[in-house]
Amino acid sequence: GRGWCSTISECIERTGTRYGSSIHMEDQYYFQGILSNKPNENPDLFNWNRVKVKYCDGAFFTGDVEEVDPVTGLHFRGARVFLAIMEDLLYKGMWKAENAILSGNSAGGLTAILHCDKFRSFFSTNARVKCISDAGFFVNIKTILGEPHIEQLYERVVTLPGSSKNLPRSCTSSYLDPSLCFFPEYVVQHIRTPLFVINSAYDSWQINNSLVPYNEWTYCKKDINICSPSQIQTLQGQWVIFLRAVINGIRPTSPSGYFITSCHSHKGIETPSYWFYPNSPILADKKIAQAVAEWFFVESSKFQEISCPYPCGKFCQS
């Protein structure tokens, strides 16, 4: 995860951080939640081979521009980085995998969606391969002032690094604006590989940056429990829009699934208290880790569950 860059200046700024250059990346990273090797924290996946793919291109590993900017030295080649990493892992033995998951959170969750079918193509047809998106289901909503802020932002993110050529062609051919295929609600119906979406219908990032990207709702954006009645009414409208986007994208007959909470939070599958903990979110008597495991290992499993609206989720782990 960690957002994106939509302008040259934003991308230059990222090069000085661990999200824009491997020079600045951590030497160590602690695996927790879905990446944990402890059976009490991650009962079904603890003994898997686990790889953390660090995000560096600011465009969901979709950028692909041959020329290097002579003034800034910026490389927009995230799609090539993704392919190089996969080739390296395949060489190290990943090609022998009988079970494989591509997962990510936030921007990484959207990356998992966009590259899901490509990831599937690296394995034998007999392998069980699926994808998990945590807090990556960004919906195309207008702001409280009726402005298409997030749609315009995604258009810039797609245009700058030349991403459209690496988006699912069946999606981009369906719309005049290929940047719409950055929105899961438009692209998931074109994904053939089973996908599991974990998200909050009151996603705090989307409330703060898509719905209210202004210096307003200062206290409400920090804590949904202190929002005014009119603000709650607006958020309930957002809940309906979000659920409609998920349900229209993932049909009841689809092998894909979802676990939609009402937590006022953003991402969590690498957080033990969210993934598998005594007080983790529960839907249909299952915590997220349990729902994912059943969906992944049991071919006939159809886990598509949605929490009731706020005040459900009032006391969620953040």
Side-chain angles (χ1 to χ4, degrees):
R2 200 62 179 187
W4 42 74
C5 55
S6 63
T7 65
I8 292 293
S9 60
E10 289 176 356
C11 294
I12 291 174
E13 184 177 347
R14 285 178 79 94
T15 64
T17 74
R18 63 182 184 269
Y19 304 109
S21 172
S22 56
I23 294 173
H24 304 290
M25 290 178 183
E26 320 87 312
D27 293 328
Q28 290 185 316
Y29 189 89
Y30 297 98
F31 284 14
Q32 295 181 305
I34 192 174
L35 297 178
S36 174
N37 64 354
K38 299 176 182 178
N40 62 317
E41 294 182 2
N42 192 22
D44 296 285
L45 307 176
F46 73 94
N47 59 349
W48 282 39
N49 295 304
R50 287 148 293 125
V51 179
K52 180 78 171 181
V53 180
K54 300 299 290 183
Y55 183 37
C56 63
D57 79 318
F60 314 101
F61 291 101
T62 61
D64 194 0
V65 177
E66 181 65 34
E67 301 79 15
V68 177
D69 190 309
V71 178
T72 64
L74 289 174
H75 294 64
F76 294 110
R77 297 177 179 172
R80 304 183 194 190
V81 172
F82 181 83
L83 181 59
I85 292 170
M86 293 300 115
E87 289 176 344
D88 181 60
L89 293 174
L90 290 166
Y91 176 77
K92 290 175 177 174
M94 190 173 73
W95 66 272
K96 295 182 288 187
E98 296 176 1
N99 296 288
I101 293 174
L102 179 67
S103 68
N105 59 58
S106 192
L110 179 51
T111 299
I113 294 174
L114 296 176
H115 291 279
C116 190
D117 284 341
K118 185 179 298 181
F119 182 70
R120 177 67 185 91
S121 70
F122 297 131
F123 300 89
S124 74
T125 55
N126 295 326
R128 181 189 288 117
V129 182
K130 301 183 181 182
C131 304
I132 300 173
S133 171
D134 171 32
F137 207 97
F138 299 96
V139 294
N140 187 8
I141 59 170
K142 288 185 168 57
T143 70
I144 56 173
L145 300 182
E147 298 172 332
H149 173 76
I150 190 67
E151 183 175 316
Q152 292 173 347
L153 177 62
Y154 270 18
E155 184 177 5
R156 295 195 298 272
V157 175
V158 169
T159 303
L160 180 62
S163 293
S164 60
K165 70 185 77 169
N166 289 306
L167 298 176
R169 192 166 300 173
S170 59
C171 181
T172 56
S173 64
S174 300
Y175 301 100
L176 293 175
D177 181 3
S179 67
L180 289 177
C181 295
F182 255 20
F183 289 103
E185 63 196 274
Y186 304 114
V187 76
V188 291
Q189 57 191 294
H190 299 278
I191 305 297
R192 299 182 302 276
T193 307
L195 168 72
F196 197 88
V197 171
I198 302 162
N199 224 105
S200 170
Y202 300 93
D203 185 287
S204 57
W205 190 95
Q206 296 193 53
I207 291 172
N208 294 359
N209 296 277
S210 299
L211 184 65
V212 195
Y214 318 111
N215 190 24
E216 298 182 34
W217 290 34
T218 304
Y219 298 106
C220 176
K221 288 196 283 190
K222 293 178 180 178
D223 184 354
I224 193 174
N225 298 314
I226 58 176
C227 293
S228 69
S230 63
Q231 290 169 336
I232 290 293
Q233 184 177 7
T234 299
L235 293 178
Q236 301 298 35
Q238 156 70 6
W239 182 81
V240 172
I241 292 171
F242 183 88
L243 296 188
R244 186 181 297 131
V246 171
I247 294 170
N248 287 343
I250 301 176
R251 302 292 185 178
T253 56
S254 168
S256 295
Y258 46 79
F259 190 112
I260 307 300
T261 75
S262 291
C263 303
H264 182 223
S265 60
H266 180 66
K267 70 184 182 180
I269 62 173
E270 288 187 53
T271 305
S273 60
Y274 194 77
W275 175 246
F276 187 73
Y277 219 61
N279 57 346
S280 295
I282 293 176
L283 291 176
D285 297 322
K286 290 182 174 62
K287 297 169 185 175
I288 296 173
Q290 296 168 316
V292 166
E294 181 180 289
W295 165 81
F296 184 82
F297 290 108
V298 182
E299 294 299 330
S300 61
S301 174
K302 293 280 187 181
F303 196 95
Q304 298 181 346
E305 298 292 336
I306 298 170
S307 172
C308 52
Y310 181 86
C312 290
K314 184 175 183 178
F315 301 106
C316 277
Q317 293 287 332
S318 62

